[in-house]
Amino acid sequence: MKFHNDVLTSYAKVRIFCKEQNSVGNGELRRLMLECASALFHFREHLPPHERRTRSLYATHCPDYGLVGDIANAYKHHELTRHNPQVTASTDIFEIMLSVDYKDGEGPYSDSEAAVHVTLTDGSCRDLGEVLRNVVNMWKLKMVELGADEEYLPSKRRFVPPVPRATARKSNLTMTQGVACQLHLQPMVYDCEQQKLVQEDLSDAEKVVFRAWKNPSLVVRSMGQEIEIEVAVSGDEHEHYGSLESEKEQVKYLREIAERDGHLDNAIESLRQRALASQPCWSIDCI
């Protein structure tokens, strides 16, 4: 029960956020991952006494377990100065948006992935999502060894490069007015020959342009109810939306985007549920 309530639930929250929000800027992804790291590190304390092993022993089976311990302690204490930790400060754990350039038969396109990176004391950098996944899989194997009834399948990375155009994701940057925000952006490119992601070389670039815009909103009405939804648009879509002369054209264009991305159907279903919930309930006494 503890494994499901603490480990799997906290890890599921991370994966759901990455799938549905794919956002950095307000620290939500960082918080979810650090809470998951804490649950993964402390789970050994909830094993039966005769099965409980030391931190160093688990780290020999999964080196990332030792790293998760340092990350969880840095998150709790802010700074670590004893026992040669791999991470010495919570400020070394930060959100980052990876933007990967691809090219297919239709031309160039990009995919964005929200992530949390950790700078280690040796100067290297790790993807916290990968670290969590490795430790989750270690505990899944351990649960099977302990005779768990459920068959735990290994967790895998959801989006493996190259990401097709049809499933490419947009960048979502969330910021609150008046609140300091530190953004980390890393441009990448997919190398077809090496079949891997490589950091894009911007050393010869004279200027790097960064564009940010507020997503427009759309009012959806159905069954006597209405709801206002935010429509995520790309840079080109935002420019085209702004070039439309009439409000009618803008609304039509936003509805097309919302329908394409599935947000319109979700909004209509939400309104349907709201309308059903508002219906009066009748009690009938049978005599």
Side-chain angles (χ1 to χ4, degrees):
M1 183 65 69
K2 197 73 176 178
F3 183 63
H4 283 270
N5 291 346
D6 288 2
V7 174
L8 294 186
T9 298
S10 61
Y11 186 60
K13 289 179 180 178
V14 170
R15 291 177 65 86
I16 291 172
F17 184 89
C18 290
K19 178 182 179 182
E20 297 182 354
Q21 304 296 326
N22 195 39
S23 172
V24 300
N26 64 353
E28 181 67 10
L29 178 57
R30 179 180 182 273
R31 181 187 66 80
L32 290 173
M33 284 199 176
L34 288 173
E35 289 179 353
C36 182
S38 181
L40 287 168
F41 176 56
H42 292 290
F43 178 66
R44 70 183 180 92
E45 301 166 9
H46 302 282
L47 292 173
H50 64 281
E51 291 290 346
R52 201 173 301 156
R53 302 294 183 265
T54 64
R55 170 181 172 173
S56 59
L57 183 59
Y58 284 120
T60 60
H61 296 290
C62 177
D64 279 344
Y65 179 74
L67 177 55
V68 155
D70 288 339
I71 291 171
N73 286 330
Y75 176 45
K76 179 179 180 181
H77 302 290
H78 302 296
E79 291 187 0
L80 302 180
T81 57
R82 302 173 57 188
H83 308 302
N84 298 318
Q86 299 180 69
V87 183
T88 57
S90 60
T91 52
D92 293 328
I93 308 166
F94 54 91
E95 293 182 340
I96 185 169
M97 180 63 75
L98 307 178
S99 180
V100 185
D101 289 335
Y102 292 98
K103 184 179 293 185
D104 60 10
E106 298 180 34
Y109 67 97
S110 62
D111 173 66
S112 298
E113 179 177 4
V116 174
H117 283 185
V118 185
T119 302
L120 308 186
T121 53
D122 63 3
S124 62
C125 194
R126 290 292 308 277
D127 179 353
L128 183 51
E130 178 188 29
V131 174
L132 297 181
R133 185 165 58 249
N134 291 339
V135 181
V136 165
N137 287 335
M138 181 197 76
W139 284 130
K140 284 183 175 182
L141 289 174
K142 185 61 180 178
M143 295 303 293
V144 172
E145 291 176 6
L146 293 177
D149 294 333
E150 186 172 344
E151 181 182 358
Y152 295 107
L153 299 177
S155 296
K156 299 180 180 179
R157 182 173 178 176
R158 179 176 282 115
F159 293 92
V160 179
V163 176
R165 179 187 291 269
T167 56
R169 298 154 293 176
K170 301 174 183 177
S171 296
N172 291 315
L173 307 178
T174 304
M175 292 164 278
T176 302
Q177 185 175 357
V179 178
C181 178
Q182 187 177 26
L183 294 177
H184 295 264
L185 307 173
Q186 182 172 331
M188 308 284 288
V189 63
Y190 182 72
D191 190 315
C192 297
E193 294 183 359
Q194 301 183 54
Q195 295 187 344
K196 68 176 185 179
L197 301 181
V198 296
Q199 190 163 346
E200 194 163 0
D201 184 11
L202 299 177
S203 58
D204 295 333
E206 296 181 359
K207 181 173 64 173
V208 177
V209 178
F210 173 76
R211 294 188 300 169
W213 56 87
K214 181 179 179 180
N215 288 325
S217 60
L218 175 69
V219 176
V220 181
R221 297 179 176 86
S222 180
M223 301 184 69
Q225 306 279 334
E226 72 174 41
I227 188 174
E228 185 174 351
I229 63 173
E230 181 181 286
V231 182
V233 295
S234 66
D236 292 339
E237 289 169 343
H238 186 266
E239 288 184 3
H240 180 69
Y241 169 78
S243 69
L244 298 175
E245 296 181 355
S246 68
E247 182 180 352
K248 183 177 180 180
E249 289 178 307
Q250 290 180 331
V251 170
K252 179 182 178 182
Y253 184 62
L254 289 181
R255 286 185 67 90
E256 290 174 353
I257 296 176
E259 185 174 8
R260 178 199 66 194
D261 296 340
H263 300 314
L264 187 60
D265 289 341
N266 293 338
I268 292 175
E269 175 62 20
S270 177
L271 291 175
R272 189 183 74 85
Q273 294 293 338
R274 185 189 299 179
L276 291 175
S278 65
Q279 295 296 317
C281 296
W282 298 90
S283 297
I284 300 177
D285 292 330
C286 297
I287 302 176

